[in-house]
Amino acid sequence: MNAPKWVPHMYLDEGGPAPLAQPSDWLRIVPGGHALLDERGEVPSEETPEEAEGAALADGELVEMERMDNFGDATVTILDEDDGEGGETFRVSHPMPALATDIWIIGEEGTYPSVSEMVDMIEPEDGEFSIRYLRWTTHRFRYRAETGTLEPEDPASLAPLPEEPEAPLPLFGGAQP
């Protein structure tokens, strides 16, 4: 699992900006303090000084951020066709981790709650494609003017997630499933 990345909650419906390494990475300096970067993660190019000052965060203001945890990639193989007996129409190189909440087709927009729902919704052709297992959670941060940072309202909620358990070893020899 990679280090978590962050995006302001209000930008999730804006076409999905690239998450940044830390919540405070979303801050930019403006007259009177700091403001959030725009929905593309950039300083607004045509913003007037008055607009920039008006966008300044107030000391102690709450900012909701989305934490994205990356649980790694997998390959989905679409099989030739259903065998007529309700058999599988796809295979995945490793199952969705228990802590993951979403599946993203690498390079595409949108996420899906499970591999089977994803396959049903996109009606893919035979072949392979890559997916990434993700977990999105909402956390609240307070802007601190004196340090120019976003500090977690509940630091304990930011603890690293546990590693996925390995597949159990067979008790009496034999092959692993």
Side-chain angles (χ1 to χ4, degrees):
M1 182 168 61
N2 299 321
K5 302 231 183 228
W6 298 89
V7 66
H9 178 77
M10 66 182 156
Y11 294 160
L12 283 184
D13 292 335
E14 300 291 334
L20 300 177
Q22 297 295 324
S24 293
D25 291 348
W26 282 94
L27 295 177
R28 61 187 169 98
I29 297 174
V30 296
H34 293 84
L36 291 175
L37 296 171
D38 69 12
E39 66 276 358
R40 293 177 307 280
E42 301 172 355
V43 174
S45 59
E46 297 183 22
E47 183 177 61
T48 66
E50 294 79 22
E51 290 170 331
E53 188 171 0
L57 296 168
D59 187 38
E61 185 173 339
L62 282 174
V63 177
E64 281 193 341
M65 300 292 289
E66 293 292 326
R67 173 181 167 162
M68 181 194 75
D69 291 288
N70 178 345
F71 288 94
D73 299 349
T75 301
V76 175
T77 304
I78 303 301
L79 305 175
D80 288 337
E81 59 185 66
D82 190 346
D83 61 9
E85 297 178 17
E88 292 183 340
T89 59
F90 68 90
R91 263 184 274 168
V92 62
S93 61
H94 71 274
M96 185 172 180
L99 294 175
T101 59
D102 293 283
I103 295 169
W104 174 55
I105 299 173
I106 297 174
E108 301 290 326
E109 288 189 26
T111 61
Y112 304 90
S114 71
V115 176
S116 60
E117 288 182 55
M118 176 195 62
V119 170
D120 288 345
M121 292 172 88
I122 64 170
E123 298 179 14
E125 296 182 18
D126 294 347
E128 293 184 343
F129 57 94
S130 296
I131 60 172
R132 182 164 295 151
Y133 295 119
L134 304 172
R135 176 184 176 94
W136 289 94
T137 53
T138 304
H139 301 268
R140 293 167 34 137
F141 290 80
R142 286 202 183 277
Y143 169 66
R144 297 292 178 215
E146 64 191 49
T147 59
T149 59
L150 293 173
E151 296 180 5
E153 187 175 61
D154 178 14
S157 72
L158 303 180
L161 295 174
E163 292 293 322
E164 283 292 310
E166 296 292 324
L169 295 174
L171 292 176
F172 301 104
Q176 286 230 27

